[in-house]
């Protein structure tokens, strides 16, 4: 591992996230930001916003990002990294453009970006890069000197991301009644996306049949299931499942849905289920509503014992993983030989998204990739 204190040429880290409302009056304006350009009526957005209103109109994601910021700053300070950490969102305050403007005015010229999405997909990677390009274009129009922006690689198979999830599954299994524990089924859940988007996720040479999105999630599920078997001596059956579908009914999306899966497991005689939300960095609204509300209610209707394991959140091991990724990328930028840290058969992801990776439906400029508008 290179010198853990040397992060040159970078002079800042940007935590880039989705954003969420922080009160009832924020819900509809937030959803208007998320769906901008789709022509969705305000009344429909109010219906969609009911998930947020059930929780007082507050998404937990912003507080979770604040906790992650604190964890990153503490870890960096404890390990001698002199690297300021900023935070910007795609869809709510603090907005990405405002944060980048602040960074430029603070003199930051080489910025690393940590997206709160661990996997390859249009919405989980390319769209973040498009938002970066939009913000850089706005700063350019203001006459500001643009920084060089790079994005950290996908970290789905980094041990610092995996270990907290393994522990979460083990804790959830331990919480089940002893008579159903060993037979419990593991349901590894992630966000459903259109199958066409999944098929074109990741580099072009891997397109088709779920693309990198499905392969990466299957890899994580297998790694967690293997670790659980090694630590408990029990080989739990498992499946990758999906949640949070939001598209038109006629468009194929990844399946099975988590609630349908609970029906199937119950019908097949599974004594219990542990749901592990491996596709999410933190317990944001889609975890709280789709799993802790809807899936929990379905399991209770079925009389199926169910536990939901924790996401990674601000676990110190995740903060340490980000530090390692920063140091690794900085060393690579300086031309040093680096052995990336990754578990499983897929190996470490690319540092620079290649041309054709996770394409948009309509071509748009993107930053931090081989096809970047801004170098």
């Amino acid at each position: 591992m290179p010198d853990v204190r040397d992060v040159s040429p970078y002079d800042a880290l940007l935590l880039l996230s989705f954003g969420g409302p922080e009160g009832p009056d924020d819900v509809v304006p937030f959803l208007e930001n998320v769906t901008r350009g789709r022509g969705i009526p305000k009344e429909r957005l109010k219906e969609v916003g009911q998930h947020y209103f059930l929780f007082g109109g507050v998404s937990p994601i912003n507080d979770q990002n604040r906790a992650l910021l604190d964890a990153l700053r503490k870890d960096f300070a404890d390990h001698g990294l002199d690297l300021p950490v900023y935070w910007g969102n795609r869809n709510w305050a603090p907005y990405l453009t405002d944060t980048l403007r602040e960074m430029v005015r603070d003199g930051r010229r080489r910025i690393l970006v940590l997206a709160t999405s661990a996997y390859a997909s249009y919405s989980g990677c390319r769209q973040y890069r498009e938002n970066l390009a939009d913000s850089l274009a706005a700063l350019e129009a203001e006459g500001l000197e643009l920084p060089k922006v790079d994005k950290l690689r996908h970290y789905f198979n980094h041990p610092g991301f995996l270990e907290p999830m393994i522990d979460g599954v083990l804790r959830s299994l331990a919480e089940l009644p002893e008579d159903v524990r060993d037979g419990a089924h593991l349901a590894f859940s992630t966000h459903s996306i259109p199958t066409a988007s999944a098929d074109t996720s990741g580099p072009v040479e891997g397109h088709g049949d779920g693309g990198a999105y499905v392969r990466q999630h299957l890899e994580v599920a297998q790694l967690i299931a293997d670790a659980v078997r090694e630590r408990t001596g029990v080989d739990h059956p498992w499946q990758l499942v999906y949640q949070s579908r939001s598209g038109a009914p006629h468009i194929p999306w990844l399946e099975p849905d988590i609630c349908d899966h609970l029906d199937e497991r119950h019908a097949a005689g599974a004594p219990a289920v542990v749901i592990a939300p491996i596709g999410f960095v933190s317990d944001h609204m889609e975890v709280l509503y789709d799993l802790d509300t809807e899936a929990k209610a379905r399991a209770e209707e079925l009389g199926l014992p169910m536990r939901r394991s924790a996401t990674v959140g601000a676990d110190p091991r995740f903060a340490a993983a980000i530090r390692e990724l920063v140091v690794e990328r900085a060393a690579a930028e300086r031309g040093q030989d680096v052995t990336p840290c990754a578990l499983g058969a897929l190996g470490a992801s690319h540092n620079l998204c290649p041309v054709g990776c996770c394409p948009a439906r309509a071509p748009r400029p993107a930053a931090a990739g081989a096809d970047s508008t801004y170098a």
Side-chain angles (χ1 to χ4, degrees):
M1 189 70 185
D3 184 350
V4 297
R5 293 177 297 277
D6 189 355
V7 293
S8 61
Y10 296 107
D11 55 19
L13 177 69
L14 168 62
L15 174 64
L16 177 55
S17 193
F18 193 81
E22 301 204 73
D25 292 341
D26 297 343
V27 173
V28 172
F30 162 72
L31 292 173
E32 287 175 332
N33 288 341
V34 173
T35 62
R36 183 176 290 115
R38 302 182 199 172
I40 299 176
K42 183 170 288 190
E43 291 306 311
R44 173 58 182 151
L45 294 179
K46 289 180 180 178
E47 294 175 17
V48 174
Q50 291 305 312
H51 296 181
Y52 292 96
F53 293 127
L54 286 174
F55 296 87
V58 179
S59 168
I61 194 170
N62 283 342
D63 277 345
Q64 290 162 3
N65 280 324
R66 293 182 183 103
L68 180 56
L69 282 170
D70 289 343
L72 289 170
R73 287 165 177 158
K74 181 180 186 305
D75 181 90
F76 287 7
D78 289 348
H79 291 84
L81 262 72
D82 183 16
L83 190 71
V85 186
Y86 295 75
W87 170 35
N89 289 325
R90 290 169 48 191
N91 298 299
W92 201 249
Y95 287 104
L96 172 59
T97 302
D98 295 336
T99 300
L100 278 176
R101 184 185 298 111
E102 176 189 359
M103 296 176 81
V104 168
R105 289 175 175 169
D106 287 347
R108 311 305 174 193
R109 294 294 176 263
R110 287 294 303 270
I111 297 170
L112 260 179
V113 177
L114 164 64
T116 53
S117 174
Y119 302 87
S121 71
Y122 171 74
S123 57
C125 183
R126 173 82 192 193
Q127 194 168 18
Y128 282 91
R129 295 176 48 228
E130 291 175 353
N131 293 147
L132 282 166
D134 291 343
S135 293
L136 290 169
L139 299 188
E140 186 176 44
E142 296 172 12
L144 295 176
E145 181 181 352
L146 298 186
K148 186 179 188 311
V149 177
D150 294 325
K151 180 179 174 292
L152 285 173
R153 65 177 172 88
H154 302 302
Y155 45 84
F156 63 93
N157 56 0
H158 193 289
F161 185 66
L162 288 164
E163 282 295 334
M165 292 191 291
I166 293 166
D167 286 351
V169 172
L170 292 170
R171 283 193 298 270
S172 293
L173 285 168
E175 292 169 0
L176 287 170
E178 189 173 356
D179 61 331
V180 299
R181 187 178 303 152
D182 286 355
H185 185 97
L186 307 181
F188 295 105
S189 185
T190 189
H191 205 301
S192 184
I193 61 175
T195 56
S197 294
D199 290 347
T200 56
S201 58
V204 172
E205 60 270 20
H207 286 181
D209 196 24
Y213 186 76
V214 171
R215 284 195 299 276
Q216 290 171 0
H217 281 89
L218 287 172
E219 177 89 329
V220 168
Q222 184 69 67
L223 287 166
I224 295 174
D226 288 348
V228 169
R229 183 186 66 252
E230 291 166 4
R231 297 178 197 188
T232 65
V234 179
D235 192 7
H236 292 271
W238 63 268
Q239 186 168 341
L240 180 62
V241 300
Y242 302 92
Q243 63 178 88
S244 312
R245 175 183 172 135
S246 59
H250 68 280
I251 298 175
W253 282 52
L254 294 174
E255 296 177 335
D257 174 78
I258 178 59
C259 289
D260 293 339
H261 180 68
L262 293 176
D263 291 341
E264 293 166 1
R265 289 301 88 209
H266 179 256
V273 173
V274 168
I275 302 176
I278 62 172
F280 307 92
V281 171
S282 62
D283 288 6
H284 56 61
M285 184 57 66
E286 286 170 319
V287 174
L288 293 186
Y289 184 79
D290 296 334
L291 299 183
D292 294 354
T293 305
E294 283 196 328
K296 180 182 178 182
R298 180 66 63 84
E300 289 174 349
E301 290 172 8
L302 296 169
L304 180 65
M306 186 272 279
R307 297 293 185 274
R308 195 270 290 174
S309 67
T311 51
V312 172
D315 189 289
R317 290 168 292 184
F318 182 46
I322 299 309
R323 167 175 41 86
E324 291 173 5
L325 289 169
V326 167
V327 172
E328 170 196 300
R329 180 62 182 272
E333 287 295 305
R334 296 194 302 271
Q336 294 179 228
D337 290 332
V338 177
T339 302
C341 184
L343 300 178
L346 294 181
S349 184
H350 47 258
N351 276 335
L352 191 68
C353 291
V355 175
C357 191
C358 306
R361 291 182 295 274
R364 286 185 57 197
D371 58 352
S372 294
T373 305
Y374 297 94

